[in-house]
């Protein structure tokens, strides 16, 4: 099953409206957006109404990030990459895609714009992460790294079923692989993974690493990340090798590990965004938006009209 990416409700749509209202060369604060008997709603009216809402705050933040990252990294993300990512989501949602777009208040164009902003930030974060890969950081990652092992895994949704299955696999002469295929809720039984892999829950991998070849774990409880329901695992480690004392043996994998950790670290991401904002000399001029950059620890996150 292809992974679906959340369509952020309304943000890009409102962003487009605010762009039209506030940034169009043809629009002015007094321009009428809606007319009625004896009254009219102007660009200024709409702006005052929208800017203090949560959606308005998000929209302005997205506008800022869009402009900053487009200026600094715009040539690093191609239209082809955006279209490919867009089509992947179309395939993932299938016949529900149009409804998902409508529910999120977006169009094909605005969703592609959202994807582009995300990819520009991803590029910047990845480039910054590469600078974190040094011999020192690689050796530190090596200290907690466990090389790839082979294991057979049974996944179950019911605790009592897991306990009875554990009794079966631990019985003398039991065929673990056969019992696994008959009882596991997953089609896959045989796995290969190291400590940097995330195919299986951390609890399951840790249990497998502690076992000797041929040993079987007790019931390992975890939580399904999609349903938040408890899940139960039984693991048998079938093959493991001693860790090579030369960290350079695993240099490629350790590099991947560091990069993935940095890219998944929200604090690191925020620092990268903060650096881009600082380079762009972003200054908040309207106090209504004074807090939109607070997550990025920039000197302008709480300042606005003081520098005019």
């Amino acid at each position: 099953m292809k992974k679906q990416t959340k369509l952020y409700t309304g943000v890009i749509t409102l962003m487009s409206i605010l762009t039209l209202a506030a940034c169009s060369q043809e629009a002015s604060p007094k321009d009428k957006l809606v007319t009625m008997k004896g009254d009219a709603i102007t660009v200024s009216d709409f702006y005052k109404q929208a800017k203090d809402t949560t959606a308005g705050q998000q929209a302005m933040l997205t506008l800022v990030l869009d402009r900053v990252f487009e200026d600094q990294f715009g040539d690093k993300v191609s239209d082809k990459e955006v279209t490919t990512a867009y089509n992947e989501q179309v395939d993932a949602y299938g016949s529900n895609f149009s409804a998902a777009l409508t529910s999120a208040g977006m169009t094909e164009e605005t969703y592609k714009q959202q994807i582009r902003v995300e990819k520009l930030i991803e590029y910047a974060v990845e480039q910054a992460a590469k600078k974190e890969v040094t011999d020192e950081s690689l050796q530190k990652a090596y200290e907690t790294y466990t090389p790839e092992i082979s294991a057979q895994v049974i996944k179950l949704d019911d605790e009592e079923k897991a306990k009875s299955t554990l009794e079966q696999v631990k019985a003398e002469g039991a065929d673990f692989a056969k019992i696994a295929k008959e009882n596991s809720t997953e089609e896959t039984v045989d796995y290969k993974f190291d400590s940097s892999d995330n195919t299986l829950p951390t609890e399951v991998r840790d249990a497998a690493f502690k076992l000797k070849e041929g040993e079987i774990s007790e019931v390992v409880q975890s939580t399904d990340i999609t349903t938040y329901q408890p899940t139960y695992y039984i693991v048998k480690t079938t093959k493991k090798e001693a860790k090579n004392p030369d960290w350079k043996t695993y240099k490629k994998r350790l590099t991947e590990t560091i990069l993935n950790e940095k890219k998944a670290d929200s604090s690191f991401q925020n620092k990268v965004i903060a650096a881009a904002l600082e380079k762009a000399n972003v200054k908040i001029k309207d106090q209504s938006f004074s807090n939109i950059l607070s997550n990025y620890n920039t000197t302008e996150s709480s300042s606005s009209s003081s520098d005019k």
Side-chain angles (χ1 to χ4, degrees):
M1 180 181 292
K2 295 184 178 180
K3 183 178 180 181
Q4 295 179 355
T5 298
K6 181 179 179 182
L7 278 59
Y8 295 99
T9 306
V11 174
I12 299 297
T13 299
L14 183 55
M15 182 185 78
S16 299
I17 295 172
L18 287 175
T19 302
L20 173 64
C23 304
S24 173
Q25 293 180 352
E26 299 178 0
S28 72
K30 294 182 179 180
D31 282 351
K32 297 176 181 180
L33 299 177
V34 179
T35 60
M36 59 198 77
K37 288 183 178 180
D39 202 357
I41 298 174
T42 65
V43 170
S44 179
D45 294 332
F46 176 77
Y47 174 73
K48 291 176 181 177
Q49 182 74 21
K51 67 179 182 177
D52 290 323
T53 66
T54 299
Q57 297 284 306
Q58 292 174 326
M60 183 56 75
L61 173 59
T62 305
L63 267 174
V64 172
L65 296 180
D66 184 14
R67 298 290 178 86
V68 168
F69 282 85
E70 190 66 52
D71 178 64
Q72 295 179 22
F73 304 100
D75 61 338
K76 304 302 181 181
V77 176
S78 68
D79 291 340
K80 183 178 179 180
E81 290 178 75
V82 174
T83 300
T84 297
Y86 175 86
N87 290 335
E88 287 175 353
Q89 290 307 302
V90 173
D91 292 341
Y93 277 90
S95 60
N96 296 321
F97 183 72
S98 294
L101 270 184
T102 302
S103 177
M106 291 195 291
T107 64
E108 176 181 338
E109 181 181 354
T110 55
Y111 183 41
K112 284 183 177 180
Q113 186 177 9
Q114 173 179 299
I115 292 173
R116 181 167 181 80
V117 174
E118 291 172 351
K119 285 195 168 295
L120 289 171
I121 294 175
E122 286 174 4
Y123 176 84
V125 170
E126 183 172 9
Q127 296 310 302
K130 288 180 179 179
K131 297 178 181 179
E132 300 292 318
V133 180
T134 62
D135 281 357
E136 182 179 357
S137 65
L138 288 168
Q139 291 179 57
K140 185 176 181 180
Y142 167 80
E143 293 174 3
T144 57
Y145 177 72
T146 301
E148 184 179 81
I149 70 170
S150 297
Q152 294 174 332
V153 181
I154 304 173
K155 179 182 179 182
L156 300 155
D157 295 331
D158 181 78
E159 186 174 13
E160 292 305 314
K161 174 69 172 177
K163 290 179 179 178
S164 63
T165 303
L166 181 63
E167 292 180 2
Q168 292 182 51
V169 297
K170 287 200 171 184
E172 186 175 352
D175 186 334
F176 189 98
K178 182 175 183 294
I179 295 172
K181 290 177 181 179
E182 292 174 347
N183 292 274
S184 181
T185 59
E186 295 285 349
E187 291 186 9
T188 302
V189 171
D190 295 293
Y191 292 86
K192 289 184 178 181
F193 52 86
D194 61 11
S195 57
S196 297
D197 193 287
N198 60 5
T199 305
L200 291 165
T202 302
E203 300 92 337
V204 178
R205 286 181 282 123
D206 288 345
F209 294 142
K210 293 176 182 178
L211 299 172
K212 297 178 181 179
E213 286 188 6
E215 286 187 337
I216 298 172
S217 72
E218 297 299 314
V219 174
V220 179
Q221 183 173 335
S222 184
T223 302
D224 189 300
I225 60 173
T226 57
T227 65
Y228 301 103
Q229 296 299 310
T231 52
Y232 307 90
Y233 295 83
I234 303 170
V235 186
K236 179 180 181 180
T237 297
T238 57
K239 183 179 180 181
K240 61 191 308 184
E241 298 178 2
K243 187 174 180 179
N244 194 306
D246 183 2
W247 66 267
K248 293 180 181 179
T249 303
Y250 310 106
K251 185 174 182 178
K252 181 178 180 180
R253 184 57 170 159
L254 294 174
T255 298
E256 293 175 354
T257 300
I258 294 172
L259 291 178
N260 289 335
E261 287 178 349
K262 290 297 181 183
K263 287 188 285 186
D265 183 348
S266 59
S267 295
F268 184 76
Q269 294 172 18
N270 287 347
K271 288 180 181 178
V272 173
I273 293 173
L277 294 172
E278 184 175 357
K279 182 178 179 180
N281 194 28
V282 174
K283 298 181 184 300
I284 304 299
K285 297 298 185 179
D286 188 322
Q287 286 290 348
S288 298
F289 302 110
S290 62
N291 293 320
I292 64 171
L293 304 181
S294 59
N295 286 337
Y296 311 116
N297 299 317
T298 66
T299 56
E300 290 297 333
S301 62
S302 60
S303 65
S304 58
S305 59
S306 59
D307 185 6
K308 295 182 179 179

